[in-house]
C-alpha cells in the first residue's frame, strides 16, 4: 500500500488563514512552507479521508489569496484543484488513465477518472496528466518560478504520486514536507504555528 494524504496549500497572511480554518470548523494544522505560503493539513473526518475542497474555497476568499487542494491516492495518482476568490479555477490529474469502477442502477459498469469524467467500458482514456499548465500553478509559488521546470514536474510520467507532488512543490520553491503529511504527522511535527 502506498501513501495517501489530503493537504491544502494556502497563500496569504497567517491571520486570514487562521480565520478561514476557524470558519470551516475543521480541525487543521497550519505549517509554514515559504513566505506567506502555508500547508493546511485537515484532520480526517472518518479516520481515512480529509475533506479539503470547502476549506480550500474559504482559504482563497481573502483578497489576493489562492489555495490548492492536493489529494494523493495510494501513491498512484494525485488530484489538485486550484482556487481563487472562493471558486475553483483549474483542475489537475496526474494520470488520466487511472480509472475507478462503479455500477449504475441497472448494474452496468461505468469507469471514471478521479475528476469524475465517465468512460464507457472498452473506451480508452487519454494518457498522461490533465491540466499540466505551469501558468495556472505559478501564483501559488514563490518567485522566481522556473515555468519550464514546473511544466516538466506537472507532466512527468513514471513517478509515484507523492514524488510528483514534491517535484511540483519544489518547482514552486516551497517546502514539500508539510504538504505531504497526514494530519497525525503534522500534529506531531512541532512545526505548526
Amino acid at each position: 500500500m502506498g501513501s495517501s494524504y489530503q493537504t491544502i496549500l494556502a497563500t496569504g497572511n497567517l491571520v486570514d488563514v487562521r480565520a478561514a480554518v476557524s470558519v470551516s470548523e475543521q480541525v487543521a494544522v497550519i505549517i509554514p512552507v515559504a513566505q506567506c505560503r502555508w500547508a493546511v493539513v485537515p484532520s480526517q473526518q472518518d479516520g481515512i479521508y480529509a475533506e479539503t475542497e470547502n476549506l480550500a474555497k474559504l482559504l482563497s476568499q481573502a483578497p489576493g489569496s489562492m489555495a490548492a487542494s492536493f489529494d494523493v491516492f495510494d501513491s498512484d495518482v494525485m488530484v489538485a484543484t486550484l482556487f481563487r476568490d472562493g471558486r475553483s479555477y483549474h483542475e489537475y490529474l496526474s494520470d488520466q488513465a487511472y480509472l475507478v469502477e462503479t455500477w449504475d442502477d441497472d448494474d452496468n459498469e461505468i469507469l471514471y477518472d478521479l475528476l469524475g469524467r465517465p468512460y464507457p467500458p472498452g473506451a480508452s482514456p487519454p494518457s498522461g496528466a490533465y491540466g499540466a499548465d505551469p501558468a495556472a500553478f505559478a501564483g501559488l509559488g514563490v518567485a522566481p518560478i522556473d515555468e519550464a521546470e514546473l511544466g516538466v514536474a506537472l507532466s512527468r510520467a513514471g513517478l509515484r504520486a507523492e514524488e510528483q507532488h514534491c517535484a511540483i512543490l519544489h518547482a514552486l520553491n516551497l517546502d514539500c514536507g508539510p504538504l505531504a503529511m497526514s494530519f497525525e504527522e503534522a500534529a506531531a511535527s512541532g512545526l505548526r504555528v
Side-chain angles (χ1 to χ4, degrees):
M1 186 167 185
S3 294
S4 294
Y5 54 85
Q6 300 80 40
T7 59
I8 302 166
L9 168 62
T11 70
N13 69 60
L14 182 57
V15 170
D16 290 336
V17 171
R18 285 184 169 153
V21 170
S22 177
V23 167
S24 77
E25 298 183 358
Q26 276 186 270
V27 175
V29 175
I30 302 167
I31 302 173
V33 293
Q35 183 176 0
C36 295
R37 303 298 188 270
W38 312 95
V40 179
V41 186
S43 66
Q44 295 94 350
Q45 296 169 336
D46 56 7
I48 298 171
Y49 184 78
E51 173 58 44
T52 56
E53 188 168 311
N54 290 331
L55 180 52
K57 286 178 185 178
L58 289 170
L59 288 161
S60 74
Q61 287 180 342
S65 294
M66 298 171 65
S69 65
F70 296 105
D71 295 316
V72 171
F73 298 96
D74 203 20
S75 297
D76 294 322
V77 67
M78 179 181 64
V79 174
T81 306
L82 311 186
F83 298 88
R84 185 177 21 232
D85 301 322
R87 294 185 307 273
S88 165
Y89 72 89
H90 189 77
E91 292 181 315
Y92 171 80
L93 176 62
S94 64
D95 182 3
Q96 295 182 82
Y98 186 88
L99 303 177
V100 294
E101 61 185 355
T102 188
W103 288 265
D104 65 16
D105 293 337
D106 296 323
D107 216 22
N108 297 308
E109 180 184 40
I110 302 172
L111 301 172
Y112 289 92
D113 69 16
L114 292 182
L115 294 177
R117 300 178 300 181
Y119 294 92
S124 295
S127 62
Y130 171 84
D133 179 4
F137 282 81
L140 294 164
V142 176
I145 304 293
D146 182 339
E147 286 199 23
E149 179 186 354
L150 180 55
V152 168
L154 288 164
S155 60
R156 189 167 169 197
L159 293 178
R160 294 168 58 94
E162 66 272 21
E163 294 169 338
Q164 187 166 24
H165 186 208
C166 281
I168 293 165
L169 296 170
H170 176 73
L172 291 168
N173 299 315
L174 303 172
D175 177 4
C176 75
L179 285 158
M181 290 181 177
S182 68
F183 175 78
E184 291 77 18
E185 293 167 330
S189 72
L191 300 173
R192 62 182 158 177
V193 291

